[in-house]
Amino acid sequence: MFFYYIPLLLCAIGSFLKMPLYRKLFLFFICFYLFFILAFKGSVDPDYSNYQFLLENSPTFDDGLAGINAFSRDYGFEIGLTLLNTTLNSLGVGLYFFYSFFAFIAVLCIYKISLKNNNSFLVFSLLYVMSFIGLWVQVRFGLACLLSLLASLIYFEGRKKLSFFLFLSSLIFHNITFSLIIPVFIFLFFNKIGFRKDYILYVLMLFSVFLF
């Protein structure tokens, strides 16, 4: 559908902006649009009914951590997903809140990563294309990859506690996070031989193609 391509069209328009403030605000507008269509996409993927079932049948907090862990083990999902479903179920909200949660964090990651490079609209476009399936269908997988990528960049900025928190957050939603050990060593190698950090970002994004 046409609205899938609107973020890329808006990025092309935004690339002509010169003022940093205007560029940042326009990128924020693109992110808001992307969040909206992701959060309210409806049943456009085969996993929709599965997530609906998990949300409606998730354990309650009365079952305790043991019950939540048992549910995760029986259905083969990470405990983060079960905790999220238990919380949403306890609040009595529907699946739109489930997708809104994933959409908000995923888009925020793309926004933060994009701002770390002068070519923010180019980085946004590349991330959107590479994580397309992760944004629209395999939302747990996509979120874990984006969180891990952001955590990797933050780690090499010296914010190691925040990086560890993001890595841990991605791990409780999908174990694909373990694969990000490889790009960390890639970053260390290129950083040691004197590559610019914005170039290293492109290398990490290239590696992400194999994850997504």
Side-chain angles (χ1 to χ4, degrees), residues 83-125:
L83 283 172
L84 174 63
N85 283 331
T86 297
T87 302
L88 295 178
N89 207 6
S90 299
L91 294 174
V93 297
L95 199 60
Y96 281 117
F97 284 85
F98 173 89
Y99 279 112
S100 295
F101 172 85
F102 280 93
F104 176 77
I105 300 180
V107 173
L108 182 62
C109 287
I110 294 178
Y111 179 70
K112 291 291 187 181
I113 295 171
S114 300
L115 290 180
K116 294 183 180 298
N117 189 279
N118 292 329
N119 298 318
S120 55
F121 292 105
L122 174 60
V123 173
F124 182 96
S125 299

Side-chain angles (χ1 to χ4, degrees), residues 131-149:
S131 60
F132 188 84
I133 298 300
L135 290 172
W136 288 97
V137 182
Q138 301 173 354
V139 293
R140 294 186 305 115
F141 175 75
L143 177 63
C145 289
L146 288 169
L147 275 173
S148 300
L149 181 58

Side-chain angles (χ1 to χ4, degrees), residues 156-175:
F156 292 104
E157 291 177 351
R159 294 184 287 172
K160 296 182 180 180
K161 291 182 179 180
L162 179 58
S163 174
F164 177 77
F165 173 77
L166 293 176
F167 267 122
L168 183 62
S169 299
S170 65
L171 186 59
I172 65 174
F173 284 105
H174 205 293
N175 56 21

Side-chain angles (χ1 to χ4, degrees), residues 63-76:
D63 297 318
L65 188 58
I68 294 174
N69 187 52
F71 184 88
S72 299
R73 185 176 60 253
D74 292 341
Y75 285 95

